[in-house]
């Protein structure tokens, strides 16, 4: 009886094309159910001889006679090693074909830690540049996000040194804003170093010099600010601060912080008071050209009274200068103004009329301007008792600019 020959399935044909016998291929597919597992099964089992084509008998191994010892001849058989080598080659070939037929499911090779860090830094710089272009006013908060780790924090208080460099610069700038001279000195110093980064003399600060003592010594935060931008005490002389490497980004951030406080109320009031103190110092100097004018004003003053009816007027002019004189209760404000002009500069009389010079009653809290909102011509004619300058008073003589800034403290 003859059996009808069945047409092999495509999977069997594929295994046969790979070199596997058809019976074994069909049996492996029936056992596993898929071609991948069938290939693995066929590769793991040793090849069996096909009944249709019996394998030839192995050739006899060569005979080797040991002439030296006279031993009987023996045969070297290598059939086992040859079969194992051929089986391994078949496995490797099948595995390679399997991998070539499967879709690629491998992930791209992972990047190293250094490449990831460099990519993150580049992304951070790109994001920072974009934010800076969109918000120029906030560039200070995005540029130079970290300062060199070698910055000295040896002499900084714990509450300051624990803060990152950029917020620390801004905090120190606000602390320095009460001294407009210190802010101006630091601005000039850092700008000069920024423009001449390779000049050694600009990267050196002498703490014992007269300039440092006049502008920065005793100002809270001044030395901390210098150390924050990289200055450090010299090993040879602790009174010398030296700057090694100039960090352009750090200097830019420091200058922006200092510039930001020049519009604050503490800076403005201190600057206006410094200007007034300098003007008072010029007015109090002896001047032959003003002697005649001072003498005329002094001669126009009423006589200085004595006794219980006298009012002692103390004038704090500025720059540590204090003037005192007695006036009667019915003397007028114009007499006090002429007295100040005779002691300092006759121009004060005209300055009081124009509002560039103001008299403040320090006995009031808050301080009040002498005469209040009245016109200056009317104030000059008021008696000391009427304006509250009797029986004794202390007045502060300031510029109109100082008084205007003091009035705007709550709304600055």
């Amino acid at each position: 009886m003859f059996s009808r020959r069945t047409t092999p399935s495509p999977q069997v044909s594929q295994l046969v094309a790979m070199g596997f016998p058809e019976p074994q291929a069909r049996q492996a597919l029936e056992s596993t159910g898929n071609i991948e597992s069938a290939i693995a099964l066929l590769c793991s089992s040793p090849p069996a001889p096909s009944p249709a084509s019996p394998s030839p008998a192995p050739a006899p191994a060569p005979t080797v006679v040991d002439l030296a010892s006279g031993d009987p001849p023996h045969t070297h058989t290598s059939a086992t090693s040859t079969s194992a080598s051929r089986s391994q080659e078949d496995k490797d070939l099948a595995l390679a074909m399997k991998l070539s037929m499967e879709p690629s499911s491998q992930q791209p090779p992972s990047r190293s830690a250094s490449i990831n860090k460099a990519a993150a830094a580049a992304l951070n710089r790109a994001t920072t540049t974009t934010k800076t272009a969109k918000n120029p006013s906030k560039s200070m908060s995005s540029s130079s996000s970290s300062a060199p780790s070698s910055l000295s924090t040896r002499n900084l208080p714990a509450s300051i040194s624990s803060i990152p460099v950029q917020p620390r610069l801004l905090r120190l700038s606000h602390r320095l804003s009460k001294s407009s001279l210190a802010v101006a000195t630091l601005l000039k110093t850092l700008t000069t170093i920024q423009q001449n980064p390779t000049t050694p003399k600009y990267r050196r600060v002498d703490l014992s010099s007269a300039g440092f003592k006049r502008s920065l010594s005793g100002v809270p935060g001044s030395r901390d600010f210098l150390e924050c931008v990289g200055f450090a005490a010299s090993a040879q002389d602790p009174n010398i601060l030296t700057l090694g490497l100039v960090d352009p980004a750090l200097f830019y951030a420091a200058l922006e912080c200092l510039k930001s406080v020049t519009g604050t109320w503490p800076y403005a009031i201190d600057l206006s008071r410094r200007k007034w103190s300098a003007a008072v110092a010029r007015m109090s100097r002896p001047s032959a050209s003003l002697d005649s004018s001072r003498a005329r004003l002094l001669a126009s003053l009423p006589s200085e009274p004595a006794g219980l009816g006298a009012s002692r007027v103390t004038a704090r002019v500025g720059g540590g200068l204090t003037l005192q004189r007695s006036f009667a209760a019915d003397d007028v404000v114009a007499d006090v103004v002429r007295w100040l002009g005779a002691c300092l500069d006759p121009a004060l009389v005209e300055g009081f009329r124009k509002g560039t010079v103001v008299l403040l009653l320090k006995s009031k809290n808050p301080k009040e301007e002498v005469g209040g909102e009245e016109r200056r011509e009317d104030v000059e004619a008021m008696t000391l008792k009427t304006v509250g300058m009797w029986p004794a008073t202390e007045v502060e003589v300031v510029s109109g600019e100082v008084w205007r800034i003091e009035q705007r403290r709550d709304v600055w």
Side-chain angles (χ1 to χ4, degrees):
M1 180 180 295
F2 297 93
S3 60
R4 186 176 59 182
R5 181 177 181 87
T6 59
T7 304
S9 65
Q11 293 180 336
V12 174
S13 300
Q14 190 173 354
L15 290 175
V16 172
M18 293 181 186
F20 296 108
E22 181 179 344
Q24 294 182 10
R26 183 179 290 106
Q27 183 179 1
L29 279 172
E30 291 176 356
S31 301
T32 59
N34 57 76
I35 190 170
E36 290 82 1
S37 301
I39 292 175
L41 180 61
L42 291 171
C43 292
S44 62
S45 60
S50 174
S53 56
S55 57
T63 302
V64 181
V65 179
D66 193 348
L67 300 179
S69 60
D71 292 338
H74 58 273
T75 304
H76 294 274
T77 60
S78 60
T80 303
S81 60
T82 304
S83 176
S85 175
R86 185 176 303 167
S87 177
Q88 184 63 35
E89 291 177 0
D90 292 342
K91 291 181 181 180
D92 294 341
L93 176 61
L95 181 60
M97 296 177 67
K98 174 185 175 182
L99 293 178
S100 64
M101 293 173 59
E102 292 181 352
S104 177
S105 60
Q106 294 183 350
Q107 298 295 331
S110 59
R111 297 182 298 185
S112 64
S114 60
I115 295 178
N116 288 334
K117 186 179 296 184
L123 179 60
N124 184 33
R125 286 194 299 270
T127 306
T128 300
T129 305
T130 304
K131 290 182 179 179
T132 303
K134 292 182 178 179
N135 302 297
S137 61
K138 298 183 180 180
S139 60
M140 182 184 62
S141 64
S142 59
S143 64
S144 182
S145 59
S146 61
S149 58
S150 60
L151 291 181
S152 173
T153 58
R154 179 175 55 85
N155 295 325
L156 293 178
S159 59
I160 295 294
S161 60
S162 60
I163 304 174
V165 174
Q166 206 162 348
R168 193 190 315 167
L169 287 171
L170 189 58
R171 180 172 175 177
L172 290 172
S173 298
H174 281 282
R175 180 179 294 180
L176 291 166
S177 63
K178 298 179 181 179
S179 174
S180 57
L181 180 59
V183 173
T185 302
L186 288 173
L187 276 172
K188 182 178 180 180
T189 301
L190 298 187
T191 302
T192 303
I193 296 175
Q194 189 183 49
Q195 296 173 351
N196 305 274
T198 59
T199 306
K201 68 176 182 179
Y202 296 134
R203 305 200 308 271
R204 182 178 181 274
V205 176
D206 187 357
L207 304 183
S208 61
S209 64
F212 182 88
K213 291 181 178 180
R214 181 180 65 256
S215 57
L216 295 176
S217 180
V219 179
S222 57
R223 179 165 179 173
D224 294 337
F225 196 93
L226 289 172
E227 292 183 347
C228 197
V229 297
F231 279 92
S234 173
Q236 292 78 16
D237 189 351
N239 288 325
I240 302 296
L241 298 182
T242 57
L243 175 65
L245 180 65
V246 178
D247 187 339
L250 184 60
F251 265 62
Y252 175 80
L255 288 171
E256 289 298 311
C257 290
L258 290 174
K259 292 175 183 177
S260 67
V261 301
T262 57
T264 60
W265 185 87
Y267 179 89
I269 191 65
D270 182 76
L271 179 61
S272 61
R273 288 187 177 277
R274 280 203 309 120
K275 291 180 180 178
W276 173 246
S277 298
V280 170
R282 290 192 300 268
M283 290 187 292
S284 60
R285 296 170 188 164
S287 175
S289 60
L290 298 178
D291 287 344
S292 58
S293 300
R294 290 169 176 168
R296 285 195 300 269
L297 289 176
L298 195 59
S300 65
L301 295 177
S303 59
E304 189 171 359
L308 297 177
S311 175
R312 193 69 173 173
V313 176
T314 302
R316 309 286 183 184
V317 181
L321 180 61
T322 301
L323 304 174
Q324 287 185 334
R325 190 184 190 277
S326 295
F327 290 89
D330 57 353
D331 288 338
V332 295
V333 175
D335 295 330
V336 177
V337 175
R338 287 196 298 270
W339 165 60
L340 294 173
C343 296
L344 297 172
D345 191 337
L348 282 177
V349 178
E350 188 64 23
F352 180 80
R353 292 171 182 168
K354 293 181 177 180
T356 57
V357 178
V358 179
L359 302 182
L360 303 177
L361 292 173
K362 297 193 67 176
S363 58
K364 302 291 183 178
N365 189 17
K367 293 181 287 187
E368 294 181 1
E369 184 179 357
V370 172
E373 300 296 331
E374 300 291 336
R375 294 192 316 139
R376 292 307 176 100
E377 293 80 0
D378 299 334
V379 173
E380 286 184 334
M382 293 180 180
T383 63
L384 300 185
K385 187 175 183 179
T386 303
V387 298
M389 296 178 65
W390 186 88
T393 189
E394 183 176 347
V395 297
E396 182 179 1
V397 185
V398 298
S399 66
E401 180 185 5
V402 172
W403 177 234
R404 287 190 296 272
I405 292 176
E406 283 194 357
Q407 288 179 305
R408 297 177 57 190
R409 179 173 188 172
D410 295 335
V411 295
W412 191 268

